[in-house]
Amino acid sequence: MDDLLELLRAGLPAEAVVTDPDITAAYANDMASFCDAGTPAVVTLPRTVEQVQHIMRTATALRVPVVPQGARTGLSGAANASDGCIVLSLVKMDRILEISPVDRIAVVEPGVINAVLSRAVNEHGLYYPPDPSSWEMCTIGGNIGTASGGLCCVKYGVTAEYVLGLDVVLADGRLLTTGRRTAKGVAGYDLTRLFVGSEGSLGIVVKAVLALKPQPPQQLVLAAEFPSAATACDAVCRIMERGHTPSLLELMDRTTVRAVNKMANMGLPDTTEALLLAAFDTPDPSADLAAVAGLCTAAGATEVVPAEDAAESEMLLQARRMSLTALETVKSATMIDDVCVPRSQLGAMLEGTAAVAEKYDLTIGVCAHAGDGNTHPVVCFDHTDADESRRARESFDEIMALGLELGGTITGEHGVGVLKKEWLARELGDVSVELHRGIKQAFDPLGLLNPGKVF
C-alpha cells in the first residue's frame, strides 16, 4: 500500500490521490442493485492524459487492478470497485476540446456531461442525439463504456453510431489512437467500435471524436392512452410498419404512470393501462402526428392528445424521463432491466413481464423505448425483506430469459457489468465467449482492467 501511494504521488498532484476511507467509500459502486462491491485502496482523479498513463504504468508495475469510473450512474455494477483496487475516476477530465460545424464533430474528454455537450453543440446549430435518461448527470466516457442509448434511438441510433475515434490509454500505459475525424474511413480493423461497450475492460478512454448532426426542428409530442399494453404495442407495430420515423416512441405502463403521478402530480391519466408517447421533429410534425393518431385510434386507443406547442411537449417528455425515479419511490429498492426484443415481440415481452410480476407477487413497472423494442422492466422490492429480495432477483432472471426466448438480448444499453455476467455466455455461445476472452487477453494480458466485470 505504501509503495502504491508513493508511486502514484510521484506523478500526480496531491488532490488527485484520495485515501480518506469516508470519501473512497463513495466511489465503491454505481446505481445497480445486487452487485457486490469491494473496498478500493485509493481513488485517483487525473486531469490529463499523462496522469492517466502514470496511473496505468504504476498499476502494471505493482500488479494492482484498476476500475475506471465516470459519474457512476450505471445500472449493471460495471463501475463497482474491487478490493484493493485503484479507482480511476475520469470526472475531472471534463473539457470540450473542439466543436467543428464544418466537419460536424466534437472532440471531448471523457468526463464531459452528456447534457453539457448537447447544449454546447446546440449553440452551433448542431445536435448530439444520444440522450440517456440520466443525461444531466452521466458522462460521455460512461456512455461510451456502456454503449448507452436514450429516448431518441428509434430515429437517431445509439452512442456507438456517433463515436468516430478514440484516444485510449492501454493497461501498460501506452496511448492508442483509433478511428478518424473524417466522414468515411475503413483503414484496419474497427478498434473504435471494439472499445465502445467494453465497460473499461480493454482500456481507458481519454478522448473521443464524436459525430454531430444538424439541429432538427423542435419536436412535437403526441400522447395516446390505451386500454391494455397489448393494444399499445400493436400501435407501435402499425406505426413502424407504415414507414413512419418518429424522433421518439416511448411506452409507460399503468404502474409507471401512477408512480409518476404520485411523485410529481403530472396530471397523467390514472385510468390508462398503457401510455404511448410519439414525437416528430420533421418540418411539419403536426401532419405526422395526425397520421400516427389515426393509427393509434385504429389499434384501440381510447384517447389521443397531440401537444399544442413545445412547452406541452416538454412536459410529456419530462414525465417519461421521470419514470425510473418515480418507480424508485414505490419500494425501498429497484432492479432495472433493459431487455431488448424485436419490435414484433414487444407485446409478448410486456405480457410475459406482467405474468412474472404476478407469479412472484411483485410490483414490476415497465417503461420502454418502444420504437426499438428496448424495455425497462423495473422490479420494485423491499431490500430489508429477505424473501422479497430473493423473489426480486429470481423475477429479474426470468425476465432476461423471456427476452432471449423472444429473440432479444439481455442488455440494450445498460451493459453487462456484474449484474448480467452469468447471462452473457448464454446469449453469446461458447465460440463467441472464447474469442471475447482472447481479445481481452490481447489488450490486458495481466487482467488488471476492471476485473470481474463482463467475463
Side-chain angles (χ1 to χ4, degrees):
M1 179 66 169
D2 290 342
D3 289 346
L4 173 61
L5 295 180
E6 182 179 350
L7 283 175
L8 287 173
R9 286 169 176 152
L12 298 173
E15 67 273 11
V17 181
V18 180
T19 57
D20 183 332
D22 291 334
I23 298 176
T24 59
Y27 289 83
N29 55 273
D30 63 16
M31 298 177 70
S33 299
F34 290 108
C35 294
D36 292 336
T39 302
V42 58
V43 172
T44 56
L45 297 156
R47 291 182 179 270
T48 68
V49 173
E50 291 76 18
Q51 289 174 6
V52 175
Q53 290 180 283
H54 175 72
I55 294 166
M56 293 312 306
R57 290 182 186 124
T58 299
T60 295
L62 298 179
R63 304 299 196 261
V64 179
V66 176
V67 175
Q69 290 184 350
R72 305 189 310 282
T73 57
L75 294 165
S76 68
N80 283 13
S82 55
D83 284 332
C85 77
I86 300 171
V87 165
L88 200 167
S89 174
L90 295 153
V91 295
K92 300 295 186 182
M93 296 180 68
D94 60 356
R95 294 179 299 161
I96 298 174
L97 303 173
E98 179 185 353
I99 296 173
S100 172
V102 174
D103 294 327
R104 292 183 183 171
I105 62 169
V107 182
V108 305
E109 292 182 328
V112 172
I113 300 296
N114 184 294
V116 171
L117 174 63
S118 296
R119 294 180 182 121
V121 301
N122 287 166
E123 294 177 5
H124 295 266
L126 297 168
Y127 177 44
Y128 180 67
D131 62 341
S133 294
S134 59
W135 76 309
E136 293 281 6
M137 300 178 288
C138 63
T139 63
I140 295 299
N143 295 167
I144 292 170
T146 58
S148 62
L151 305 186
C152 69
C153 295
V154 61
K155 180 174 182 177
Y156 292 105
V158 296
T159 295
E161 294 167 62
Y162 294 88
V163 182
L164 297 178
L166 296 170
D167 278 6
V168 181
V169 174
L170 300 177
D172 60 7
R174 288 179 297 165
L175 182 63
L176 169 70
T177 297
T178 75
R180 63 195 194 278
R181 291 172 56 101
T182 55
K184 294 193 287 187
V186 293
Y189 296 135
D190 192 349
L191 296 182
T192 303
R193 276 289 183 114
L194 187 60
F195 283 103
V196 178
S198 66
E199 302 183 35
S201 64
L202 300 179
I204 312 295
V205 172
V206 291
K207 186 170 75 173
V209 180
L210 305 174
L212 305 174
K213 290 186 174 295
Q215 189 170 4
Q218 178 69 51
Q219 65 182 357
L220 285 181
V221 179
L222 169 149
E225 181 181 353
F226 289 87
S228 67
T231 53
C233 292
D234 180 35
V236 171
C237 292
R238 292 175 187 239
I239 291 166
M240 302 308 294
E241 184 180 27
R242 294 296 179 89
H244 294 287
T245 309
S247 54
L248 173 148
L249 193 57
E250 297 288 307
L251 185 147
M252 301 161 63
D253 74 351
R254 173 183 59 186
T255 300
T256 306
V257 169
R258 291 179 178 175
V260 170
N261 269 347
K262 184 177 180 180
M263 185 181 80
N265 195 26
M266 295 290 289
L268 299 174
D270 271 341
T271 55
T272 187
E273 293 295 314
L275 187 70
L276 189 66
L277 302 178
F280 286 88
D281 57 7
T282 53
D284 184 13
S286 57
D288 291 304
L289 289 181
V292 166
L295 294 174
C296 288
T297 300
T302 54
E303 187 170 4
V304 180
V305 181
E308 295 184 0
D309 52 31
E312 193 171 331
S313 293
E314 184 53 37
M315 184 200 74
L316 291 170
L317 294 184
Q318 187 62 22
R320 169 59 185 88
R321 287 196 174 101
M322 291 170 59
S323 294
L324 297 182
T325 303
L327 287 167
E328 288 173 354
T329 67
V330 174
K331 290 272 188 156
S332 65
T334 58
M335 290 189 74
I336 304 172
D337 214 330
D338 70 321
V339 173
C340 190
V341 297
R343 295 186 194 101
S344 58
Q345 298 297 323
L346 187 61
M349 184 67 202
L350 267 68
E351 182 180 342
T353 300
V356 170
E358 183 175 356
K359 174 182 175 180
Y360 289 96
D361 190 23
L362 292 166
T363 298
I364 303 179
V366 180
C367 49
H369 308 308
D372 51 26
N374 192 179
T375 68
H376 292 308
V378 181
V379 183
C380 306
F381 64 99
D382 181 355
H383 75 284
T384 65
D385 184 324
D387 182 67
E388 192 163 311
S389 296
R390 175 192 58 79
R391 286 184 280 123
R393 181 68 213 222
E394 290 179 6
S395 71
F396 185 87
D397 287 344
E398 195 157 321
I399 289 168
M400 284 194 288
L402 172 64
L404 291 180
E405 290 170 11
L406 295 174
T409 174
I410 60 169
T411 176
E413 57 187 359
H414 293 169
V416 175
V418 177
L419 190 62
K420 299 185 176 184
K421 280 178 57 177
E422 64 185 86
W423 284 91
L424 183 61
R426 303 191 200 188
E427 177 171 336
L428 296 182
D430 293 341
V431 174
S432 182
V433 168
E434 181 182 347
L435 290 172
H436 276 72
R437 286 178 173 156
I439 292 169
K440 168 70 170 173
Q441 175 69 21
F443 280 90
D444 181 22
L446 298 177
L448 299 179
L449 284 167
N450 218 6
K453 315 297 169 52
V454 187
F455 292 105

